Amino acid sequence: MPYRIRPDRPLLAEVQSVARRELEKAIETLEARPEGLHEAIHAARKIFKRLRNLYRLVARGDKAFWRRENTRLREAGRSLSSIRDATALIETVEHLSVHALTDDEAETLAAAREVLALRRDDIAESERDLQAKVSGVVTECRAAVSALHDLSLPSKAGHTARLVARGWRRSLDEAHEALDTCKGESHGEAFHDLRKASQAYWMNLSLLSDLWPSAFCAKRRDAKRLVDLLGHEHDLTVLITLLDHEPEIFGNGEGQSFLLAIIIRRQMDLRREALTLAGRIFADAAKDEADIIETLWMRAAIQRRTG
């Protein structure tokens, strides 16, 4: 089933339905592990991000619920992060390899991938309590399903329209702020903030796609492209941090410098492309988009009553 809220149905029931479905999917994935444990962990963490975004969109409707469940899901994801983060670094080097310009660069990246694979295996070996962590996360998911009964949201169309519009505007305000920061300060944290805001926008476009299917589909494609670009950019920032903190695993100083130069060149390319795309995606004022969301939601609610 799609990750979406139907505007022609009661908001509380829709949020509970989407959340319950996502949580049950996470439980099934972590228990069945059809593609192995590590892929199951990766899939579950993505589900937790979608859920946290869903709750955040309607957070003003029940702030206590949002604070409690956001913390639950954030901590659940963090408890499973170590091995996934180590695997992501390997994928980052594989992405870099596609953009290697010379045989020397390709060889350097191949060596880095081998080193990172050994590091990932060492982390996996050291995490002897991983199975217990997964079991703990499944328990938290079941508790999160039960907690859905405590969620309280407005039922009147005008109130729900304003609630969703405010959540939409909050997300866009953060995107605009992050974009302005990125234009003035080219540091990794600013681009990471833009990535998180872009992810929220992409997910919100999916959640509310029924409001304006044709327009939101096109915007969602662009937002997904931006999320991918910024995801690669962030992974390179994490790789640079590892190179700073554990340089010895990457060989001698000359090899480290050569690898760093490859990373920075690709990172600059990604940032330029991402800023151009983000400027287009976030060209409209947050208030204007939020007003459109409120109007579309009200129209859907009226059609439900008269239909």
Side-chain angles (χ1 to χ4, degrees):
M1 295 294 290
Y3 173 75
R4 69 176 183 181
I5 297 172
R6 294 285 299 271
D8 59 340
R9 297 179 181 178
L11 179 63
L12 175 60
E14 281 292 283
V15 171
Q16 289 173 325
S17 176
V18 172
R20 185 176 296 108
R21 189 164 59 241
E22 292 290 323
L23 287 164
E24 289 173 350
K25 190 189 306 179
I27 293 169
E28 180 183 359
T29 299
L30 289 171
E31 290 185 334
R33 306 168 189 174
E35 298 180 28
L37 177 59
H38 299 312
E39 281 303 312
I41 288 173
H42 183 38
R45 291 182 72 210
K46 289 193 290 186
I47 289 172
F48 297 155
K49 287 181 180 180
R50 290 198 295 270
L51 276 168
R52 291 177 66 195
N53 183 74
L54 169 66
Y55 293 158
R56 194 165 185 267
L57 181 66
V58 297
R60 287 179 177 267
D62 192 336
K63 292 182 180 179
F65 176 90
W66 169 67
R67 283 192 292 266
R68 183 178 67 250
E69 295 307 304
N70 182 64
T71 299
R72 186 201 303 275
L73 295 169
R74 184 184 65 236
E75 294 306 313
R78 282 180 178 174
S79 71
L80 302 176
S81 64
S82 296
I83 188 65
R84 176 56 208 166
D85 291 346
T87 302
L89 287 175
I90 299 170
E91 295 169 355
T92 300
V93 171
E94 291 171 349
H95 166 78
L96 276 175
S97 298
V98 176
H99 300 276
L101 299 180
T102 65
D103 290 342
D104 286 344
E105 288 190 356
E107 290 174 7
T108 296
L109 293 169
R113 189 198 183 287
E114 183 176 346
V115 165
L116 291 171
L118 291 172
R119 178 177 177 273
R120 188 267 318 274
D121 294 344
D122 287 343
I123 291 174
E125 179 65 23
S126 67
E127 284 208 331
R128 299 185 184 277
D129 62 343
L130 185 57
Q131 296 287 354
K133 288 180 178 178
V134 170
S135 296
V137 168
V138 169
T139 299
E140 286 299 315
C141 287
R142 297 191 192 282
V145 172
S146 298
L148 288 170
H149 296 293
D150 300 329
L151 176 61
S152 177
L153 293 175
S155 57
K156 293 183 179 179
H159 293 168
T160 59
R162 284 191 293 276
L163 174 64
V164 172
R166 285 174 181 172
W168 189 278
R169 180 172 178 176
R170 176 186 179 185
S171 175
L172 268 181
D173 279 337
E174 292 176 356
H176 286 138
E177 181 179 351
L179 180 56
D180 289 342
T181 303
C182 287
K183 290 176 179 178
E185 305 174 30
S186 296
H187 58 79
E189 193 60 34
F191 281 88
H192 185 42
D193 288 342
L194 181 59
R195 178 200 180 200
K196 290 187 291 185
S198 300
Q199 281 181 321
Y201 189 56
W202 168 54
M203 288 187 281
N204 286 341
L205 286 165
S206 295
L207 276 173
L208 302 186
S209 60
D210 281 6
L211 288 178
W212 194 353
S214 58
F216 281 19
C217 181
K219 290 175 74 70
R220 194 165 65 246
R221 282 197 299 268
D222 285 345
K224 181 60 168 68
R225 171 62 180 158
L226 178 59
V227 169
D228 289 344
L229 289 171
L230 291 169
H232 289 313
E233 191 282 333
H234 177 66
D235 290 341
L236 292 175
T237 296
V238 174
L239 185 55
I240 290 173
T241 301
L242 179 63
L243 194 55
D244 286 341
H245 292 171
E246 302 179 40
E248 66 281 356
I249 69 174
F250 293 101
N252 59 32
E254 183 179 358
Q256 295 164 20
S257 297
F258 191 38
L259 176 60
L260 182 61
I262 298 170
I263 295 171
I264 291 176
R265 185 189 70 223
R266 179 58 186 156
Q267 190 174 51
M268 292 300 101
D269 288 343
L270 286 167
R271 288 181 176 183
R272 282 192 292 270
E273 187 174 355
L275 286 178
T276 298
L277 182 56
R280 189 163 71 245
I281 291 172
F282 300 120
D284 296 326
K287 182 182 183 305
D288 292 344
E289 279 206 27
D291 288 346
I292 291 171
I293 293 298
E294 184 173 352
T295 299
L296 291 173
W297 189 279
M298 282 298 299
R299 186 180 70 178
I302 292 171
Q303 290 174 341
R304 180 183 68 192
R305 290 200 302 266
T306 59

